[in-house]
């Protein structure tokens, strides 16, 4: 792919977050003046003579104007040098991991990572010869102890973690990863680019399931990798293009393996990104009200939300996040009562996924994190996870109150 869409647009670097989300990569159409990026639903492009590519486009796996607009916007809001859009969050993770790992390498992972990430590393890359060590990311010294010099090529961070909402000190872990020549990757899905900027704190790459907060409307599946300016492959590694650039390696593999975002999916994700900031403000304020309600409820055993002063990661989260996010988890004391709460909600919809405008409830042990049952990452069976949406907050609180009562946990 020879075209450089970044060179065709104004520089929005110094603009505010929402201005970047709305304008970066999204100039009015030069032919019609349309203010919304067109959906280029096309597979191939006419060439003006052999090798005469218009704008560098030849085939939509390698480059598509709608996807390019999304990628430029994602890079702008994350403060990265380049972004790459994929067909799902796991496709993004897989492409990034295969860019930086070889058989015999080692990865440090969170001890409560998203189940799909753990499954990818343990059960897909494991047979390929990649080892991993789960570690409590809230303790930077534990991360340092888990790093195997010369063999650890990736330190994988989630913060907040899924589903226990643990907090990792990105800057501290970046120092340890860099000293070992490893790549620091931060899954920024829970926080979103609006609430947290891992690249500015020393991360080499950020991954997203753009299905979640960035898309924001539960109508599209997608993923993204954003790389920092100057990020390099693990020490001693040369990429498929003959350079040590992480950007080059991910870009090559995106095209070579082909799990790219389609144009309509890219367009939907781009539309969601435009309103990310205003939605996240509402998600955050609603989640705070929900967390404080649950803390005061006698039927709730423990509430996990980093905005609570008693949360062990509260101070770090306050330092590195703009807000504490829309995800709240709580424990009920038994698996039966947790499942009963999930079954009794009316406004909160029982469903997997998160980050949409509607509120969702789930039982991680039997749903999103079933793949880690019996491992070091197994989650408590009395845990309920909430994705707090942007509905009227009083309706959310009323719904939780009646669901807890229906589960025998009422006042």
């Amino acid at each position: 792919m020879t075209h450089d869409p970044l060179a065709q647009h104004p520089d929005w670097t110094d603009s505010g977050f929402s201005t970047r989300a709305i304008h970066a990569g999204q100039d009015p159409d030069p032919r019609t003046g349309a203010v919304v990026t067109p959906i280029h639903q096309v597979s191939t492009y006419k060439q003006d003579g052999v090798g005469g590519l218009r704008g560098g486009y030849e085939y939509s796996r390698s480059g598509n104007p709608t996807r390019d607009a999304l990628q430029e916007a994602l890079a702008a809001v994350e403060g990265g040098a380049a972004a790459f859009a994929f067909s799902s969050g796991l496709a993004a993770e897989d492409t990034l991991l295969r860019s930086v790992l070889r058989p015999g390498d080692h990865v440090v992972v969170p001890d409560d990572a998203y189940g799909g990430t753990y499954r990818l590393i343990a059960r897909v890359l494991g047979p390929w010869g990649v080892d991993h060590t789960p570690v409590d990311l809230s303790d930077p010294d534990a991360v340092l102890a888990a790093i195997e010099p010369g063999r650890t090529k990736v330190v994988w961070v989630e913060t907040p973690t899924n589903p226990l909402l643990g907090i990792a000190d990105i800057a501290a872990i970046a120092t340890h990863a860099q000293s070992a020549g490893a790549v620091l990757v931060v899954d920024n899905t829970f926080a979103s680019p609006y609430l947290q900027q891992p690249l500015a704190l020393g991360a080499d790459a950020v991954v997203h399931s753009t299905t979640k907060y960035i898309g924001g409307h539960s109508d599209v599946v997608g993923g993204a990798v954003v790389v920092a300016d100057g990020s390099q492959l693990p020490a001693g590694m040369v990429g498929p293009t003959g350079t040590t650039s992480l950007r080059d390696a991910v870009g090559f593999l995106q095209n070579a393996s082909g799990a790219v975002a389609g144009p309509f999916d890219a367009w939907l994700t781009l539309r969601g990104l435009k309103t990310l900031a205003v939605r996240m403000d509402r998600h955050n304020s609603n989640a705070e009200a929900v967390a404080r309600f649950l803390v005061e409820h006698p039927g709730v055993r423990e509430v996990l939300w980093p905005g609570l002063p008693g949360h062990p990661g509260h101070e770090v989260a306050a330092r590195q996040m703009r807000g504490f996010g829309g995800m709240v988890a709580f424990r009920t004391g038994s698996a039966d009562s947790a499942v009963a709460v999930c079954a009794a909600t009316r406004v909160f919809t029982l469903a997997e996924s998160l980050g949409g405008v509607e509120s969702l409830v789930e039982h991680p042990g039997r749903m999103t994190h079933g793949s880690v049952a019996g491992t070091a990452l197994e989650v408590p069976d009395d845990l309920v996870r909430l994705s707090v949406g942007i509905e009227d907050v009083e309706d959310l609180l009323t719904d939780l109150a009646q669901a807890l009562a229906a589960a025998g946990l009422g006042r």
Side-chain angles (χ1 to χ4, degrees), residues 187-279:
D187 184 339
N188 204 28
T189 298
F190 264 33
S192 86
Y194 179 65
L195 296 183
Q196 186 168 260
Q197 301 276 301
L199 300 182
L201 296 170
D204 296 292
V206 163
V207 297
H208 283 282
S209 171
T210 55
T211 310
K212 311 305 193 296
Y213 286 109
I214 290 175
H217 294 79
S218 300
D219 57 7
V220 62
V221 173
V225 174
V226 185
V227 297
D229 188 23
S231 287
Q232 300 294 298
L233 294 169
M237 182 180 292
V238 176
T241 64
T243 76
T244 61
S245 163
L246 180 61
R247 174 181 181 169
D248 289 353
V250 175
F252 175 88
L253 204 60
Q254 181 196 38
N255 180 53
S257 61
V260 296
F264 186 48
D265 289 349
W267 185 87
L268 284 170
T269 305
L270 195 59
R271 182 182 67 166
L273 181 62
K274 294 174 189 286
T275 61
L276 179 62
V278 292
R279 286 187 287 105

Side-chain angles (χ1 to χ4, degrees), residues 355-378:
V357 292
E358 66 287 313
S359 293
L360 303 178
V361 61
E362 68 127 358
H363 185 264
R366 299 186 188 181
M367 295 173 66
T368 52
H369 288 68
S371 62
V372 299
T375 74
L377 282 75
E378 184 171 10

Side-chain angles (χ1 to χ4, degrees), residues 6 30-31 69 91 120 135 207 216 241-242 261 294 305 322 345:
L6 299 183
R31 187 171 71 87
L120 173 64
V135 66
V207 297
T241 64
L294 292 170
W305 187 64
R322 185 198 299 255
T345 57

Side-chain angles (χ1 to χ4, degrees), residues 1-9 45-48 51-59 62-65 68:
M1 185 169 64
T2 58
H3 62 288
D4 183 7
L6 299 183
Q8 303 171 16
H9 307 297
Y45 306 82
K46 182 184 185 301
Q47 298 188 19
D48 299 320
L53 307 182
R54 297 187 190 182
Y57 292 102
E58 56 182 336
Y59 186 61
S62 302
N64 177 281
D68 285 341

